[in-house]
Amino acid sequence: MIGRKTFLATTIAGALALGLSVAQADTLRFWTTEEQPERLAKQEELAAAFKDKTGIEVNVIPVSESDLGTRATAAFAAGDLPDVIYHTLQYALPWAEAGILDTEAATEVFENLGAGTFASGAAAMAAVDGGVASVPVDGWTQMVIYRKDLFEENGLAAPDSYENILAAVEKLHNPPEMFAFVSATKIDENFMSQVLEHVLLANGVSPVGADGFTPLDEKKTIEALDFYKAISKASPPGDLYWKQSRELYFAGKAAMIIWSPFILDELAGLRDSAPPTITDDPTSSELASRTGVVTTLSGPSNADGAAWADIRYFGITNDADTEAAMQFVEFSMDEGYLSTLSIAPEGKFPIRRGNKENATAFVDGWAELPVGVDRKAALTDLYDADTIKTIVSGLDTASRWGVKEGQLSLASKMINSQVINRLVREYIDDERDAAATVTKLNEELAKIQ
């Protein structure tokens, strides 16, 4: 059977023999959800660099993330899909199953680049028989942000497990001067949903299996509930979400919070709208220097732990000019990869760590990219090498409910119903015990289809 690369070489040779240029033959359409003007400009620059190298033009087309699913479905029905789509995790496996994505092409790109150069967890989340549905590009993992200086002063281990976090709570909780934690307790905020899923994943708890709803394991879930109640009792009273957790940590009144990596530049005083207030200088990077991060969190029933992750992919469609689309994705993931990540480095961790010449080339290059809004600095100027390594390592244990089981859609419905948030909050508020809460959770989640 002729391989794709052999076919490409034959096609180019034939075109040249006819006096045609490959550039005339190929114009790719690329859909991207990175539609902010400054991000679009960087993608246009990447497309221009690709054209300079290959002669293939790329039309960069912004698509709102909320419209992506309906637009792709309509384009598929009309036989008018773009060549490449930059898309979220939720579409990878359903689009592969529906025939929207050319999984063979994505797998060949993935293997050409070197499967071993990609973070294993992020790749596994898009796995199909014999390969991947789409090529994993970038992502971020939720993090436990903690006062590394206080942990070191008190001889505490990094808060990478329920056990270590609870030990730190015991040692550091001293309200109102210092709250050991600021948990998420506002039930109508998606922030609480993400934090709870992270905590439950850490102990190997999931409400879905291959056939749909699967009752929560009572022992594991009670362990997670008890842990969440403990960190919530070590938090300020009230309905808490991302706003209070950031404000209290920035003021030096919280030892631990859970947040996305979009806090990394703010911690360092690079964003005027969210300055650290721990010192008199809102542009100081002092708080960043005192901060450590944890991405992979483990519970007593899941020693390997897990990281809650948001992953993005390049999908090559079944309507694509396949060879040209493959070239574009390979370029964007290789010599153009740092340009791809530079669109928003604080939220685009390198899923591809390096290349054949240097196993950490892209991690090293990414850490030097400037982050920030009102001021710019490289992550290497703000955080030490161990912290940067930890930030990226979460992509190896990246996980979400329902992905490997093919039930991401059902899991999303369960999360969006806010049933879990509500019942966990009632447990925190001592309205029922842990066993009764597990029973109630199973009753309510079983109703969601």
Side-chain angles (χ1 to χ4, degrees), residues 34-45 271 339 342-344 346 372-373 376:
E34 297 286 13
E35 57 181 338
Q36 299 94 327
E38 66 278 6
R39 296 187 182 189
L40 271 178
K42 289 189 176 183
Q43 292 167 97
E44 294 281 7
E45 291 171 8
R271 187 185 296 247
S339 295
S342 74
I343 293 169
E346 67 277 8
V373 176
K376 299 284 186 180

Side-chain angles (χ1 to χ4, degrees), residues 134-258:
S134 300
V135 179
V137 181
D138 60 70
W140 57 268
T141 54
Q142 204 157 241
M143 304 184 297
V144 180
I145 306 288
Y146 70 100
R147 283 287 298 278
K148 181 173 58 175
D149 57 334
L150 297 181
F151 274 66
E152 290 172 353
E153 287 170 15
N154 288 276
L156 294 165
D160 57 3
S161 66
Y162 286 12
E163 181 182 9
N164 289 350
I165 288 175
L166 294 177
V169 165
E170 184 72 25
K171 197 85 169 179
L172 301 177
H173 189 53
N174 184 32
E177 289 80 15
M178 177 66 69
F179 291 94
F181 218 102
V182 186
S183 71
T185 58
K186 194 172 189 297
I187 63 175
D188 59 351
E189 280 279 342
N190 189 49
F191 182 69
M192 184 176 180
S193 302
Q194 291 183 4
V195 173
L196 269 175
E197 186 180 350
H198 187 182
V199 167
L200 289 161
L201 278 167
N203 205 38
V205 177
S206 174
V208 294
D211 298 322
F213 167 69
T214 298
L216 298 168
D217 180 279
E218 185 177 59
K219 176 181 176 292
K220 293 180 181 180
T221 308
I222 287 175
E223 289 171 345
L225 289 172
D226 287 347
F227 169 75
Y228 205 80
K229 187 172 191 172
I231 63 172
S232 297
K233 295 294 187 184
S235 302
D239 294 333
L240 308 171
Y241 59 110
W242 58 264
K243 186 174 185 287
Q244 294 89 351
S245 61
R246 182 175 67 183
E247 287 175 351
L248 286 162
Y249 191 83
F250 279 14
K253 293 184 177 181
M256 294 174 280
I257 61 173
I258 291 179

Side-chain angles (χ1 to χ4, degrees), residues 247 250-252 275-280 282 287:
E247 287 175 351
F250 279 14
T277 55
I278 193 171
T279 70
D280 294 332
L287 184 58

